[in-house]
């Protein structure tokens, strides 16, 4: 065989280059040193040295989600690998393609409780799409190429490759990606023609239709968003997006009803409840979206397009399930729609839009301004308005009220511009993720919309941001509370604010300074615009500490255990509707 | 259609690549997602391509059974998942080794019953027998129950293996 022989560490670098990787996020240690030695002797791959391995994984997530590439992480054995676990779980829940390489003790020591040994493949099995322990250098090239293939194909997800030190140092043959095909894994991407035909027939006959689309549209690539936009406009049907789907259809389009679900808009949730045909595309009927299952859209026929057969009929039984890739299926749906020259029932559709507009007229996202304190919603709105004419704006978030306000009040017209931790809800995601986004898009404006509690979870990455001179902006809605926790305690636990007040917060302006960035603060509404403008114009990393109303709650809200048509619209609603006992146990 | 809350028992055959950790993946899937395992057997069935066959007997509502199959299919080293319970007729068998200790009348009675059940004696001492019995799970259960009164001391069971009837392979 003509394959070139080289060390495992060299094979890894070669494989990364052949996979088109240009950036990796990582942190060295004893068990991965041979790889770091090789990294040092080449210049095709840039290594971003994070400050904690968790930052590396979220960094790779932001990089991947904003660019469509596979994110790559390198960590050492033991604590390096365990620090990566949260990020892997996050990527699994949100379908983010990653490959994580972890060092491991040499094969002859595995199982001996060797220094910095842990059962990395055992620990990460439930939080990865797949993982490998490579036992021979000879298997390494194939395994790495397979890992990239698995990470990006079908429903994307994180894959871990555990690399014992002797495998890195040993010698084996290098095989290029073209020479390798996977034995078993072949996801179905083309939808069944008969099902698509049936689906389009059902759609064409709808009187109260709705498109309910999600992260799968984003996963399928920018073309899927274009096709979705085309189909939606061809049909004239209303469209709602999940938290993960924001940007898959333009927020500025009149057919967009806003996000649905627990903190979705009144019109989106009411339309979901009352529709007669639901077209779910790349969305997974998450509990945050459905509310009480037995009252979820009771009168509708449901179509569900998803690349993962396990997403179909998991929480909600549907009438037509189509397994396939969104872009692929949408193309066929559009063709079928055009072929049958489908003309929806205009009268019925007009009535439906009239009903929707009546719901819209409730203006559920309205909030009361206050001349003395900044309302968090107002801060997001101004950030949106002052940046909306810019080409390249990317938003990441932490987790909490600020995340929901960002989803409600910041409009996304394009996919891949919104990076948030939806499925796992990981506080500390936003800052490292923003760092990853900025690395993938050097010229863009990248803002982490943060809470003061969440930002402390991965604040160390400010140091990485300084090292690589990334002009990331951190926009903190500082309410001095774990606001989302405080809100639930107010609604469910008699306003007993157990451990949700953030005492002894750092001075974020000084903190920015300490990390080599610029610190700004807005305390009153009349300072808000100036701070936002200065933040945008500063060509360096900025922390903008926006002191907002401490008591504001996020509405509208479907309380736990309630249905889509039982939303709380504002503070006045809550006294009348105590949360049911069944609702209390839900998260 | 059907009662969506009715719990059904299904026998599922899974063809997998016999790579390290594959059984842990399958078992972890069942424990992690709260599915039942009534019986699980595994062995390599095609050494030339390192393929193993896992037979799982599980129970759940129709929606859960559908999820179980979809989740099994999602595992990367899985080649094929086949629900024998819904895919036509199949044969299923279990084997058990059963140790009975006793003297006199009890010994005679145990041998008599073993004969009726076509259980074979595979080991014997002055005061014990080990029986080998093959059959459906219910038959093994019945035999074991009868042996309880006759000095049953130890049971080892393989769990169910199953295969479809007719000419087709999995
Ligand atoms: C505090 C908090 C509050 C939240 N509140 C809300 C809320 O009010 N509303 C809301 O919507 N969410 C909310 N979420 C997020 C929620 O938890 C889920 O993460 C989210 O609803 C899931 O979005 P999705 O259905 O689009 O699925 P995703 O998690 O994005 O999954 C994508 C689906 O598409 C499929 N898919 C992937 N790639 C493809 C492809 N190429 N082709 C076809 N299918 C594909 C996948 O198999 C999967 O089923 C909240 C989260 C937090 C942390
Ligand atoms: C790692 C982690 N721990 C705990 C939680 C639970 N949790 C969800 S939101 C929240 C409070 C977030 O506070 P902050 O960042 O200040 O955001 P706010 O809600 O005030 O906008 C907590 C503790 C979580 N999501 N992630
Ligand atoms: Mg807060």
């Amino acid at each position: 065989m003509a394959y070139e022989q080289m060390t495992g560490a060299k094979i890894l670098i070669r494989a990364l280059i052949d996979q088109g990787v240009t950036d990796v996020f990582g942190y060295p240690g004893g068990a991965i040193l041979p790889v770091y030695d090789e990294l040092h002797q080449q210049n095709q791959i840039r290594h971003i040295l994070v400050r904690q391995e968790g930052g590396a994984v979220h960094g790779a997530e932001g990089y991947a989600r904003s660019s469509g590439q596979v994110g790559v992480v390198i960590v050492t054995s033991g604590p390096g690998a365990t620090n990566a676990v949260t990020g892997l779980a996050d990527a699994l829940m949100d379908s983010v393609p990653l490959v994580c390489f972890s060092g491991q003790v040499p094969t002859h020591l595995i199982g001996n409780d060797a220094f910095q040994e842990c059962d990395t493949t055992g620990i990460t099995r439930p939080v990865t799409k797949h993982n490998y322990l490579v036992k021979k250098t000879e298997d390494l090239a194939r395994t790495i190429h397979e890992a990239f293939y698995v990470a990006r194909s079908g429903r994307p997800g994180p894959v871990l490759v555990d690399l014992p030190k002797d495998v890195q140092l040993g010698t084996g043959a290098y095989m290029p990606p073209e020479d390798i095909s996977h034995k078993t894994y072949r996801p179905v991407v083309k939808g069944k023609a008969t099902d698509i035909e049936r689906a389009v027939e059902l759609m064409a006959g709808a009187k109260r239709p709705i498109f309910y689309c999600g992260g799968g549209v984003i996963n399928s690539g920018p073309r899927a968003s274009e096709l979705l936009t085309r189909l939606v406009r061809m049909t004239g049907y209303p469209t709602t997006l999940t938290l993960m789907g924001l940007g898959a259809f333009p927020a500025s389009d009149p057919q967009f009803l806003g996000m649905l679900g627990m903190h979705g808009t009144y019109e989106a949730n009411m339309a979901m409840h009352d529709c007669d045909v639901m077209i779910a595309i790349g969305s997974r009927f998450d509990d945050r979206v459905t509310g009480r299952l037995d009252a979820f859209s009771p009168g509708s026929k449901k179509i569900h397009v998803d690349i993962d057969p396990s997403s179909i009929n998991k929480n909600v039984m549907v009438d037509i399930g189509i397994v396939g890739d969104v872009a692929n299926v949408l193309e066929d749906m559009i063709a079928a729609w055009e072929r049958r020259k489908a003309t929806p029932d205009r009268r019925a559709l007009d009535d439906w839009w009239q009903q929707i507009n009546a719901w819209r007229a409730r203006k559920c996202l309205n909030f009361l301004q206050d001349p003395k304190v900044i309302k968090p919603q107002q801060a997001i709105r101004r950030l949106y308005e002052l940046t909306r004419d810019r080409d390249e704006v990317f938003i990441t978030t932490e987790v909490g009220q600020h995340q929901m306000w960002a989803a409600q009040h910041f409009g996304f017209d394009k996919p891949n511009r919104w990076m948030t931790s939806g499925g796992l809800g990981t506080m500390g995601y936003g800052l490292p993720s923003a760092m990853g986004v900025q690395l993938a898009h050097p010229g863009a404006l990248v803002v982490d919309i943060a809470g003061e509690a969440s930002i402390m979870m991965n604040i160390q990455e400010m140091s990485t941001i300084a090292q690589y001179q990334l002009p990331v902006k951190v926009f903190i809605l500082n309410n001095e509370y774990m606001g989302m926790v405080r809100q639930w305690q107010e609604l469910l636990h008699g306003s007993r604010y157990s451990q949700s007040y953030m005492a002894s917060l750092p001075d974020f302006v000084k903190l920015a300074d300490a990390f080599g960035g610029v610190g700004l603060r807005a305390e009153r509404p009349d300072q808000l615009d100036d701070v936002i403008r200065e933040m945008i114009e500063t060509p360096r990393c900025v922390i903008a500490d926006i002191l907002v109303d401490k008591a504001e709650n996020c509405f509208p809200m479907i309380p736990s255990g309630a249905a889509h048509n039982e939303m709380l619209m504002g503070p006045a609603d809550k006294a009348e509707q105590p949360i049911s006992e069944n609702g209390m146990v839900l998260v | 259609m059907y009662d969506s809350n009715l719990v059904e028992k299904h026998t599922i055959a899974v063809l997998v690549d016999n790579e390290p950790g594959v059984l842990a993946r399958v078992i972890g899937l069942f424990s992690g997602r709260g599915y039942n395992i009534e019986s699980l057997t595994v062995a390599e069935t095609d050494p030339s391509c390192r393929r193993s066959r896992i037979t799982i007997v599980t129970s759940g509502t129709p929606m859960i059974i559908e999820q179980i199959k979809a989740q099994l299919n999602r595992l990367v080293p899985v080649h094929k998942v086949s629900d024998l319970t819904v895919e036509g007729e199949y044969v299923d068998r279990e084997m058990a080794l059963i140790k009975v200790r006793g003297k006199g009348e009890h010994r005679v009675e145990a041998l008599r019953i073993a004969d009726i059940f076509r259980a074979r004696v595979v080991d014997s001492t002055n005061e014990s027998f080990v029986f080998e019995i093959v059959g459906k799970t219910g038959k093994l259960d019945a035999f074991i129950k009868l042996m309880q009164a006759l000095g049953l001391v130890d049971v080892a069971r393989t769990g169910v293996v199953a295969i479809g009837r007719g000419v087709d392979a999995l």
Side-chain angles (χ1 to χ4, degrees), chain A residues 490-491 495 553 555 568 570-578:
Chain A
E490 189 176 312
L491 290 172
S495 296
N553 283 338
F555 290 109
L568 306 182
D573 262 1
K574 72 171 186 238
E576 299 155 29
Q577 306 187 4

Side-chain angles (χ1 to χ4, degrees), chain A residues 186-356:
Chain A
R186 303 260 184 298
V188 174
V189 293
K190 184 118 182 97
K192 236 164 92 185
T194 48
D195 289 339
I196 292 177
E197 212 56 57
R198 276 170 61 221
V200 168
E201 186 178 330
L202 187 60
M203 283 160 65
K207 293 186 186 320
R208 298 184 311 281
I210 188 164
F211 282 99
Y212 145 53
C213 308
V217 184
I218 312 267
N219 283 139
S220 181
R223 211 170 69 87
S225 296
E226 283 164 29
L227 290 166
L228 175 66
T229 308
R230 237 179 93 199
L231 181 63
V232 169
R233 289 186 180 149
M234 278 165 74
T235 56
Y237 295 171
T239 299
T240 180
L241 295 171
T242 67
L243 182 75
M244 299 312 290
L246 296 179
F249 182 78
S252 55
D253 191 293
Q255 279 171 257
F256 183 52
L257 306 190
M259 180 174 83
L260 81 164
M262 182 173 270
H263 290 292
T265 64
Y266 182 65
E267 51 271 32
N269 286 330
M270 290 302 283
M272 284 290 281
H273 187 268
D274 284 5
C275 67
D276 71 338
V277 173
M278 177 188 298
I279 310 132
I281 301 183
S283 46
R284 58 181 173 86
F285 295 87
D286 182 75
D287 53 63
R288 220 100 304 219
V289 160
T290 59
R292 203 173 85 220
L293 271 177
D294 59 9
F296 174 71
S297 194
S300 62
K301 293 263 185 224
K302 299 174 184 76
I303 299 163
H304 188 187
V305 180
D306 203 295
I307 204 159
D308 179 354
S310 82
S311 283
I312 296 174
N313 293 333
K314 184 199 295 193
N315 302 325
V316 172
M317 281 299 237
V318 298
D319 300 277
I320 304 177
I322 302 173
V323 177
D325 168 59
V326 169
N328 233 296
V329 173
L330 279 176
E331 205 163 279
D332 293 350
M333 277 185 164
I334 290 172
W337 183 273
E338 282 172 339
R339 245 195 332 273
R340 67 165 45 230
K341 302 198 174 44
T343 42
D345 181 342
R346 268 294 135 214
R347 279 266 297 284
L349 202 55
D350 283 348
D351 288 350
W352 181 225
W353 272 112
Q354 212 167 4
Q355 170 66 72
I356 288 170

Side-chain angles (χ1 to χ4, degrees), chain A residues 420-490:
Chain A
T420 195
S421 170
L424 201 66
T426 311
M427 290 170 72
Y429 166 88
L431 181 63
S433 173
M435 166 182 100
V437 174
Q438 189 82 73
L439 282 157
H441 306 273
L445 174 67
V446 183
V447 185
D448 171 26
I449 296 179
E452 80 298 332
S454 295
I455 195 67
M456 296 302 288
M457 287 228 176
N458 270 321
I459 192 72
Q460 77 286 348
E461 297 311 325
M462 283 294 291
S463 174
T464 313
I465 285 168
Q467 178 174 345
Y468 298 93
Q469 300 180 349
L470 304 173
V472 167
K473 319 298 184 217
V474 185
F475 192 71
I476 303 180
L477 298 187
N478 187 345
N479 52 10
E480 293 182 24
Y481 274 102
M482 298 173 194
M484 187 58 88
V485 173
R486 205 218 62 230
Q487 176 165 349
W488 280 54
Q489 289 172 332
E490 189 176 312

Side-chain angles (χ1 to χ4, degrees), chain A residues 84-142:
Chain A
V85 168
T86 302
L88 294 173
D90 191 89
L92 184 70
M93 288 292 261
D94 286 346
S95 306
V96 185
L98 297 185
V99 177
C100 177
F101 297 95
S102 50
Q104 182 56 281
V105 301
T107 46
H108 68 273
L109 288 180
I110 288 179
N112 281 21
D113 297 325
F115 178 63
Q116 292 195 327
E117 177 184 0
C118 72
D119 176 7
T120 302
T121 45
I123 291 170
T124 59
R125 197 170 289 127
V127 297
T128 51
K129 181 173 173 185
H130 194 53
N131 64 15
Y132 303 86
L133 169 61
V134 185
K135 292 212 173 124
K136 296 196 299 272
T137 311
E138 207 54 54
D139 298 336
L140 186 57
R142 159 179 288 279

Side-chain angles (χ1 to χ4, degrees), chain B residues 44-62:
Chain B
E44 194 165 83
T45 48
D46 186 350
S48 66
C49 58
R50 307 225 57 208
R51 195 81 42 96
S52 290
R53 182 172 174 129
I54 301 177
T55 310
I56 305 167
V57 181
T58 183
S59 58
T61 61

Side-chain angles (χ1 to χ4, degrees), chain A residues 92 125 128-133 135 146 150 155 182-185 308-317, chain B residues 1-2 4 17 19-22 24-25 33 49 51 62-63 66-67 70-71 73-79:
Chain A
L92 184 70
R125 197 170 289 127
T128 51
K129 181 173 173 185
H130 194 53
N131 64 15
Y132 303 86
L133 169 61
K135 292 212 173 124
E146 265 191 31
V150 171
R155 179 179 186 164
H182 199 278
K183 270 188 286 186
T184 51
Y185 188 61
D308 179 354
S310 82
S311 283
I312 296 174
N313 293 333
K314 184 199 295 193
N315 302 325
V316 172
M317 281 299 237
Chain B
M1 263 167 35
Y2 46 71
S4 59
D17 268 334
E19 60 178 41
V22 67
R25 271 178 226 286
R33 293 185 183 265
C49 58
R51 195 81 42 96
M63 225 165 144
E66 192 185 331
Q67 261 301 298
Q71 292 290 350
N73 251 317
R74 215 155 85 112
L75 298 177
V76 170
V78 166
H79 282 260

Side-chain angles (χ1 to χ4, degrees), chain A residues 33-76:
Chain A
L33 279 182
V35 169
Y36 273 82
D37 197 36
E38 286 303 329
L39 273 171
H40 193 69
Q41 299 175 52
Q42 56 83 47
N43 53 19
Q44 275 165 284
I45 293 171
R46 174 169 61 161
H47 178 273
I48 306 300
L49 177 66
V50 297
R51 298 305 184 255
Q52 207 261 24
E53 289 84 353
V57 189
H58 295 318
E61 283 188 278
Y63 188 93
R65 215 172 166 80
S66 65
S67 69
Q69 309 279 316
V70 177
V72 181
V73 178
I74 303 178
V75 299
T76 192

